[in-house]
Amino acid sequence: MNRYFHKELEEIRSKLILIGEKANEAGRLAVEGFIESDLEKTQAAVKMDDEIDDLEVEIDRASVRYITLRSPVSSDVRLIFVAIKASHDLERAGDEAHSIAKKTRTILTRDGKVKNPVEIEKMSALAFAMMRDAITSLLDENLELAQGIIKRDKEVDRINKENYTTLYNEMKGEHGDSSTHVETILISKSIERIADHAKNLAEEVIYLLTGE
Amino acid sequence: MPKSQHSFTSIRPKGEALVWFTGMGLSVGILLIIGLLGIILKNGLSMFWPDTIYEVQLVEGSTAGPRNGQNFAGAIALERHKRLQEATNAGLTSEFQFFAGNKDAYGQMYHYVDADQIVTDATGEPLFTPASGILQLERIEFGDALGFPLEIQLADGTTITEPEALKAALFKTIEESNERLETYTKIEKKQIGRINSKMESIRLEQRALREELGEAAAETSPQIQELNEQQAALQAQYTELAAEARELRERRHQDSLLLRLATGEERRISFENITQAHFPNEMSLPGKVGFFLKQIWRFMSEAPREANTEGGIFPAIFGTFVMTLLMSLAVMPFGVVAAIYLREYATQGVIVRAVRISVNNLAGVPSIVYGVFGLGFFVYVLGGSIDELFFSHKLPTATFGTGGVLWASLTLALMTVPVVIVATEEALSAVPRGMREAALACGASKWQAIQRIVLPASAPGILTGLILAMARGAGEVAPLMLVGVVKLAPSLPLDGEFPFVHLDRKFMHLGFHIYDLAFQSPDSDAAKPMVFATTLLLIVLVIVLNLSAITIRNHLRKKYKGDTF
Amino acid sequence: MSQTPETTNARADFEPFIQIKDNYNFWYGSTQVLFDMNLDIPEKQVTAFIGPSGCGKSTLLRSINRMNDLIEGIHHTGDITIADQSIYDPSLEVISLRKRIGMVFQKYNPFPKSIYENIVFSLRIAGRNKKSELDEVVERSLRGAALWDEVKDRLHESALSMSGGQMQRLCIARAIANNPEVILMDEPCSALDPIATGKVEELIHELKKDYTIVIVTHNMQQAARVSDRTAFFYLGKLIEYDVTDNIFMKPSNEQTEAYVSGRFG
């Protein structure tokens, strides 16, 4: 028997998907802004952060209300629990996108153009694919997909480490552009973080689906 | 707790003794009931069984038996140890009670014979040999006759003596004779009765006219003339019918049977006196069973004869049935309405409590008091007033101003109304409160809620009360003796004569019938089997009435079944 | 404990349909059971009365259709109005008042009649016996109570042959047969199993589209699930009355907080 308040649960779930989409979109815009030296995309990414924050608050509020008024149990209560945690992760992913965009803006306003010696594009493609898959696994309740995401985090970590080494070495050799290098290191780190949040989200989906 | 109980309970499990005690109480009760029913069943049913008739040979010099020492034939009714009048050295001797019939010849039907007066066989037991070919006749007068048929003489002069032909002719003649009886009874009761009632109404009209017109003028008035003509025509019809009936009667009277009694004398019995014949010693077992069932049926369907000691008890069964039914009809609405007011409308308080206690105590008032009240109030006051108002033309002959089935029913209804009130109150209070509230919440008025919901739901409980009331009412005798029961009622309270239900008629009742047979009968030996059989029927009637009420109740229960009850 | 009913915050944002007003007080004999009640109930919403046993919530509910009149020795001060008409108006007969108010009881109490006759009872007592009308009412009420599909083939069987949950829904169908404005429910699910309870709660959610519903419940989760507004009573006083979300998530009264969080007593 489906109860009328189960609709509220579905609303929470769709809000969760929505916040995921938005976080992913913000990250994509921020990275594209960096790679293409596109200030507009960067600005768009900065603006999205507020929407994401609002959505997180909405999800939290709806979750608490659902727990208080509907006394959920079993998979329902896991969904609420996952919603609270995942919305937090996604909000943090949004924050990382926000920070990428701000750093890109700093570089662009200072240099006019980003000179990028490292693998940001491939790395971000990997990270966003993870994030997209994590959201899809939540939407489709796809356990295998979620389990696959966790391993993929290693590759992102490795690229991040490479980027760091490359940039660090460059900074030791030439003494021209160290501030851009520091910002690029941080951007790389943010992308790595986004991948971490995608991994967390995947783990939460696994918890939602298996209860473990 | 007293000390003794402490030591008691320490030896045995607590309450064990009480369980045994209660069980014992129940067993004693059941044993008593089974014993009572057993006695009634055995004695009641044995009346219908064709007993073997034995030849009783008396020892030399005996003066016992119906003919002072002569051998005779009879059925053994009883064998018992004789209560010795004087101390003898013989010890205990037995005596037998024989049913020898032939009251007209012997003076009484039952005879006591000491065992030592009877010829014994080799082992010292009394010698009884079945009397072969003996005929038992049921007669309208003087009870049964026992004897050997010698010849039949018919009205047309034929005489039959050859044994086989005689047997056939005997049964045929009885059948024909019974048919004739039926015919002339019909003529006398129905046709002549109708003529009589017409004549009676004509007479009343004539009287009214004479009073109106004056004696002299009336004689010449055309109406009187016409009435006289009608009267003459009816008179002619009457004469014709009466002649026909007389002829049939005559014919029955002239057919006769010659019987030789076991004591030797010969007696001629007219067929008008014979209702049934059988050869008890020549009957097979199925034959006996058939005869037994037929006798039961005749007992239930025929009217009594010979001061109630012979014949059936149909009028009593019917009277009891009608009275109980009328009583139920009266007591049900009365009791239920009273209980509804008491439970649903009256403000619960001291007065209602007092009323309730009074009602309960009414159930404990001796029933004869109700009889006296019924006589004083219903018969004299109510009945008297009704007679004055509606039946003044019949006075001083009382119509309702004397005991009758209506007053008897009302008296018993009054007596049993406490039972119905108490049961109905219980049933009403057992209807869940939620059910009333639901009805009221639906917008029903209080009366609608009671009428449509509460009463149907409490119907099974109300019927239980009615069952109890019926059981008590049907078995009551004392008050009825004052308000309408008679030893012999000429007609039933319900018949084909307009207005079909005669509430003013006196009636017969099984309970009174038992009393009458047992204590008022001229021949108590002859009446004894009847007492038991009548008791049996009264019990059966009460059971049947109760069973039908229980069936209705169960039907209602099923209809209203559910866990809300 | 200062006992000013905190109802003002919940007022004015709706048009009241049932009003308990003028400091409604109620006595059984000399025992006062309701104290200074003022409460506005909105139309076509579910209002839940909660509180510990003996807090007066059932008494208040039964005051609304004057079911308490059956008890001897009651009296009251103050007034209750439904659509601005006082229920104590001497020109208003209590029977016609009850026809406007359906009631569902704690223990399902179908009449020992057929399913059909149960539903048309309120019409029959009003003298409406036209078969086509009755048939129509039966179908509408049973559909309204989500029972039609389950019983349409056995309308003339005894109502007592149904399951407990079905009987309670039949009682709801009976309550709506007369097209009332208000449905009062006195702990309608306390005798039902969770599945049947769920069905009845679903039904309440559906019914509020057409009827104003007041429900008394001991089950706080139930109040939270089905009601739009909740009133908390304690010792015959209205402690707090607000939209259900507020009562359960951020009650403004300490006693309410303690009661809904199970710390009471």
Side-chain angles (χ1 to χ4, degrees), chain B residues 144-189:
Chain B
D144 285 10
L146 288 176
F148 305 94
L150 294 178
E151 67 162 37
I152 289 176
Q153 197 161 28
L154 295 177
D156 52 17
T158 25
T159 314
I160 304 157
T161 49
E162 195 273 316
E164 280 310 308
L166 185 110
K167 225 178 214 185
L170 172 68
F171 290 114
K172 189 168 154 277
T173 316
I174 290 175
E175 203 175 304
E176 283 172 2
S177 155
N178 283 342
E179 270 167 30
R180 285 188 193 112
L181 170 69
E182 225 168 273
T183 318
Y184 76 68
T185 313
K186 209 162 143 199
I187 293 173
E188 284 174 350
K189 275 239 163 102

Side-chain angles (χ1 to χ4, degrees), chain A residues 148-195:
Chain A
I149 292 164
I150 290 163
K151 287 173 233 144
R152 287 151 65 184
D153 188 42
K154 294 229 168 70
E155 177 66 7
V156 180
D157 282 355
R158 194 188 56 74
I159 299 174
N160 179 42
K161 208 160 264 175
E162 258 180 37
N163 288 350
Y164 177 77
T165 318
T166 313
L167 291 165
Y168 183 69
N169 288 342
E170 274 188 23
M171 275 162 70
K172 273 206 287 195
E174 297 167 35
H175 299 281
D177 205 3
S178 60
S179 62
T180 307
H181 277 65
V182 170
E183 275 142 7
T184 312
I185 285 174
L186 288 174
I187 287 170
S188 172
K189 179 71 190 165
S190 286
I191 294 170
E192 190 262 338
R193 279 279 179 74
I194 290 175

Side-chain angles (χ1 to χ4, degrees), chain B residues 59-366:
Chain B
V59 293
E60 205 72 33
S62 164
T63 55
R67 278 280 178 262
N68 295 341
Q70 247 173 316
N71 292 349
F72 65 99
I76 304 167
L78 189 73
E79 181 188 2
R80 68 175 182 194
H81 289 298
K82 189 174 181 180
R83 273 184 234 109
L84 292 175
Q85 297 293 322
E86 66 269 14
T88 61
N89 50 11
L92 288 173
T93 51
S94 298
E95 67 177 357
F96 290 90
Q97 188 189 25
F98 290 102
F99 170 77
N102 299 330
K103 201 166 147 192
D104 45 344
Y106 301 154
Q108 53 189 165
M109 293 200 280
Y110 288 83
H111 304 275
Y112 283 100
V113 179
D114 290 357
D116 55 15
Q117 303 284 307
I118 301 170
V119 171
T120 53
D121 61 7
T123 59
E125 292 293 316
L127 184 67
F128 295 127
T129 43
S132 82
I134 199 160
L135 173 71
Q136 187 164 2
L137 286 178
E138 224 184 282
R139 296 182 297 181
I140 289 172
E141 281 178 324
F142 303 119
D144 285 10
L146 288 176
F148 305 94
L150 294 178
E151 67 162 37
I152 289 176
Q153 197 161 28
L154 295 177
D156 52 17
T158 25
T159 314
I160 304 157
T161 49
E162 195 273 316
E164 280 310 308
L166 185 110
K167 225 178 214 185
L170 172 68
F171 290 114
K172 189 168 154 277
T173 316
I174 290 175
E175 203 175 304
E176 283 172 2
S177 155
N178 283 342
E179 270 167 30
R180 285 188 193 112
L181 170 69
E182 225 168 273
T183 318
Y184 76 68
T185 313
K186 209 162 143 199
I187 293 173
E188 284 174 350
K189 275 239 163 102
K190 290 226 170 110
Q191 292 166 308
I192 295 187
R194 210 173 296 142
I195 290 172
N196 275 342
S197 67
K198 270 186 203 158
M199 303 244 286
E200 175 67 25
S201 65
I202 288 175
R203 252 197 300 280
L204 284 174
E205 270 179 71
Q206 283 175 327
R207 200 169 79 185
L209 277 172
R210 281 198 190 102
E211 270 168 29
E212 200 183 297
L213 306 171
E215 198 66 44
E219 288 312 315
T220 53
S221 86
Q223 286 138 309
I224 287 282
Q225 298 292 337
E226 198 185 321
L227 284 173
N228 284 343
E229 273 166 36
Q230 279 178 17
Q231 205 170 12
L234 284 170
Q235 189 64 47
Q237 268 183 45
Y238 172 84
T239 320
E240 197 179 314
L241 285 168
E244 195 182 330
R246 204 177 316 113
E247 191 187 325
L248 286 165
R249 249 179 212 285
E250 198 58 33
R251 178 69 205 267
R252 273 191 88 215
H253 178 71
Q254 283 165 1
D255 292 348
S256 70
L257 171 70
L258 188 67
L259 210 60
R260 181 174 61 79
L261 307 187
T263 42
E265 64 255 61
E266 288 181 6
R267 295 192 82 85
R268 187 168 286 281
I269 299 162
S270 157
F271 271 94
E272 77 179 341
N273 201 9
I274 300 172
T275 55
Q276 187 184 252
H278 67 285
F279 294 91
N281 293 353
E282 267 111 86
M283 281 174 135
S284 59
L285 185 66
K288 282 188 174 183
V289 171
F291 181 78
F292 174 74
L293 295 176
K294 196 176 135 210
Q295 288 295 88
I296 292 180
W297 171 244
R298 288 184 58 205
F299 184 65
M300 283 167 58
S301 59
E302 281 181 5
R305 304 188 307 265
E306 292 283 284
N308 293 352
T309 56
E310 294 285 328
I313 53 166
F314 176 72
I317 297 178
F318 191 76
T320 311
F321 178 76
V322 168
M323 190 218 62
T324 310
L325 220 62
L326 278 176
M327 181 203 77
S328 306
L329 286 180
V331 78
M332 260 287 263
F334 186 29
V336 169
V337 165
I340 287 176
Y341 187 82
L342 212 53
R343 168 68 49 184
E344 305 282 341
Y345 286 100
T347 314
Q348 304 296 317
V350 184
I351 297 175
V352 166
R353 283 238 305 280
V355 168
R356 199 166 283 144
I357 290 170
S358 313
V359 166
N360 286 339
N361 282 339
L362 273 184
V365 172

